[in-house]
Amino acid sequence: MELTPRQALIVDIVKKNEPITSEQIAEKLNLTRAALRPDLSILTMSGILDARPRVGYFFSGKPARNIISEKINNIKVDEIKAVPVVIKEGSSVYDAIVTLFLEDVGTLFVVQEDGSLVGLVSRKDLLKIAIGNADIHKIPVGVIMTRMPNLITVTPEESAYDAAQKIVDHQVDALPVVKIEQEGDKIKYRVVGKVTKTTITKLFVELGKA
Amino acid sequence: MELTPRQALIVDIVKKNEPITSEQIAEKLNLTRAALRPDLSILTMSGILDARPRVGYFFSGKPARNIISEKINNIKVDEIKAVPVVIKEGSSVYDAIVTLFLEDVGTLFVVQEDGSLVGLVSRKDLLKIAIGNADIHKIPVGVIMTRMPNLITVTPEESAYDAAQKIVDHQVDALPVVKIEQEGDKIKYRVVGKVTKTTITKLFVELGKA
């Protein structure tokens, strides 16, 4: 939050004199309390100042950004996840490309016969193979996919912030949302959703609505 | 912001009895003031309650979301725009694909000899042509691109929120940031940046940092 010069001055006065009442602040600034009220409201509502009834204003040290951060960190992947499109490991690259267009998605999750996640293919992977000399009708997606355990995944319990940070840090377009299951001594990943740059952009718009 | 049952109850009490002091709220809830303090802080800092020193708590009617909305609407495209990668209208589809991989981007902006924007090509456009029977070395990008005035553009003065909303509403991956110039009776668009889903995801992570 950008403070106006007067708001910055008020914060400064509160820092040095806390607790201080609005009358006292108004006096120091040579203003009426009515003139001061809008700035005090903004500073209190944004969490920069803390107001304790019958005591006065305090400097909270908590900038407006922290409220945003708190909100973003409290939204769970489970609440925002989108429907994943999956394809079998043995499908051809050509089938994968057709599925990509039909479903209008950027990433396909590759699963085994039992539904467990083994990899993913992106538009980029498919474009790379499509311009080569290989016969895309004969190559299975399993050959060109990014394979587990090299996938970056996220669980339903992680936050929207965690998911967005993984997307940025690892420079990927989409994360599979997985539930981890143990079968004997085998660990299996079941895809229960996806979080993509589109998911985050939609959430951003949702948060920005007045 | 999700309220806990106790927080919702406090908001309700304040709505009905404003102005009301923390002692009075504590009494109604049969709690000590100390036990009440964390919830009152959260409700005040998030802007749901308004505290006036020496008077008491008021219901502000302003939910936490509005602070986020205000912040997101105040960030200008000019502050967040990324560097656009451009290609000439006469370049081949093959050259476009190579540029896409070399620059590691998802969208190329197509310009005329004088640098003015005439269209864009996405990974999806390139994948579609790559699996066809056409010779991608011979077809110019100008033939397959999305052409002005069908592009969704944004100006440096618009907000990050406006840009994200255009991306979601029009289901596109990237917006060219344009400056509009008039030359005689011709209007030209100069590309000065881009805003993509990646840009918005990075901004989201930036805002979420504590």
Side-chain angles (χ1 to χ4, degrees):
Chain A
M1 183 171 128
E2 281 290 324
L3 297 184
T4 65
R6 188 196 279 176
Q7 287 164 358
L9 196 58
I10 295 170
V11 171
D12 211 47
I13 290 171
V14 174
K15 268 187 193 170
K16 285 178 188 146
N17 304 281
E18 61 181 12
I20 182 169
T21 64
S22 59
E23 288 93 331
Q24 291 166 330
I25 302 171
E27 203 179 301
K28 280 183 190 288
L29 290 170
N30 211 3
L31 288 171
T32 63
R33 278 182 70 200
L36 187 63
R37 199 169 296 132
D39 283 325
L40 275 181
S41 297
I42 289 170
L43 291 169
T44 313
M45 281 195 289
S46 63
I48 295 170
L49 297 187
D50 201 358
R52 294 197 202 136
R54 303 206 183 182
V55 184
Y57 288 91
F58 288 82
F59 176 65
S60 76
K62 182 168 180 167
R65 150 173 292 188
N66 282 16
I67 295 171
I68 300 178
S69 165
E70 210 170 278
K71 173 78 186 169
I72 291 176
N73 279 284
N74 276 334
I75 302 169
K76 297 281 166 251
V77 161
D78 201 36
E79 301 167 50
I80 58 158
K81 67 183 194 301
V83 178
V85 176
V86 302
I87 190 169
K88 292 278 162 65
E89 200 176 355
S91 310
S92 71
V93 166
Y94 180 81
D95 284 345
I97 295 173
V98 170
T99 306
L100 201 91
F101 280 110
L102 284 179
E103 302 280 350
D104 197 20
V105 291
T107 305
L108 300 173
F109 300 101
V110 184
V111 295
Q112 284 179 325
E113 286 300 323
D114 68 356
S116 65
L117 180 70
V118 285
L120 69 73
V121 279
S122 67
R123 271 186 204 148
K124 207 165 139 181
D125 299 328
L126 295 171
L127 183 56
K128 201 179 280 172
I129 188 84
I131 58 165
N133 291 315
D135 183 351
I136 58 174
H137 291 270
K138 288 190 182 149
I139 304 174
V141 279
V143 172
I144 65 151
M145 71 184 180
T146 303
R147 184 176 287 278
M148 287 295 278
N150 299 322
L151 297 199
I152 311 301
T153 64
V154 74
T155 63
E157 296 76 30
E158 287 181 79
S159 72
Y161 175 72
D162 294 334
Q165 195 165 39
K166 285 183 184 186
I167 289 174
V168 171
D169 287 353
H170 298 279
Q171 298 182 26
V172 293
D173 285 331
L175 304 172
V177 180
V178 297
K179 282 198 174 163
I180 300 165
E181 288 167 355
Q182 196 155 5
E183 232 178 73
D185 55 351
K186 257 193 174 170
I187 287 173
K188 289 192 171 179
Y189 295 86
R190 195 154 55 83
V191 198
V192 295
K194 66 174 177 181
V195 176
T196 69
K197 289 174 184 172
T198 307
T199 321
I200 301 296
T201 304
K202 282 182 179 167
L203 176 59
F204 183 90
V205 170
E206 195 52 47
L207 291 173
K209 272 182 193 150
Chain B
M1 183 169 130
E2 278 294 321
L3 297 185
T4 64
R6 188 196 278 176
Q7 287 164 358
L9 196 58
I10 295 170
V11 170
D12 211 47
I13 290 171
V14 174
K15 267 187 193 169
K16 285 177 187 147
N17 302 282
E18 60 180 15
I20 182 169
T21 64
S22 59
E23 286 94 332
Q24 292 166 331
I25 302 171
E27 202 178 300
K28 280 182 192 287
L29 289 170
N30 210 4
L31 288 170
T32 63
R33 279 183 70 199
L36 187 64
R37 199 167 298 132
D39 283 326
L40 275 180
S41 296
I42 288 169
L43 292 169
T44 314
M45 282 194 288
S46 64
I48 294 168
L49 296 187
D50 200 358
R52 292 194 205 140
R54 304 206 179 180
V55 184
Y57 289 91
F58 289 83
F59 175 64
S60 77
K62 179 167 181 167
R65 152 174 289 186
N66 282 13
I67 296 171
I68 300 179
S69 167
E70 210 170 278
K71 172 78 187 170
I72 291 177
N73 279 284
N74 277 334
I75 301 170
K76 295 280 166 253
V77 161
D78 202 35
E79 301 166 49
I80 58 158
K81 66 183 195 298
V83 178
V85 175
V86 302
I87 190 169
K88 292 277 162 66
E89 199 175 357
S91 311
S92 71
V93 166
Y94 179 81
D95 284 343
I97 296 173
V98 170
T99 306
L100 200 90
F101 280 111
L102 285 178
E103 303 279 351
D104 197 19
V105 291
T107 305
L108 299 173
F109 300 102
V110 185
V111 295
Q112 283 179 325
E113 286 299 324
D114 69 355
S116 66
L117 181 70
V118 284
L120 68 74
V121 279
S122 66
R123 272 186 203 147
K124 207 165 139 184
D125 299 328
L126 294 171
L127 183 56
K128 200 178 282 171
I129 187 85
I131 58 164
N133 290 315
D135 183 351
I136 58 174
H137 292 270
K138 287 190 183 149
I139 303 173
V141 280
V143 172
I144 65 151
M145 71 185 181
T146 303
R147 184 177 288 277
M148 288 295 279
N150 299 324
L151 297 199
I152 311 300
T153 64
V154 72
T155 63
E157 296 76 30
E158 286 181 78
S159 72
Y161 174 73
D162 294 333
Q165 195 164 39
K166 285 183 182 183
I167 288 174
V168 172
D169 287 353
H170 298 279
Q171 297 180 28
V172 294
D173 285 330
L175 305 171
V177 180
V178 296
K179 282 198 174 162
I180 301 164
E181 288 166 355
Q182 195 154 7
E183 230 179 73
D185 54 353
K186 258 194 175 170
I187 287 174
K188 291 191 168 178
Y189 296 86
R190 195 154 55 83
V191 197
V192 295
K194 65 174 177 181
V195 175
T196 68
K197 288 174 184 172
T198 307
T199 321
I200 300 297
T201 305
K202 282 182 179 168
L203 176 59
F204 182 90
V205 170
E206 195 53 45
L207 292 173
K209 273 183 192 149

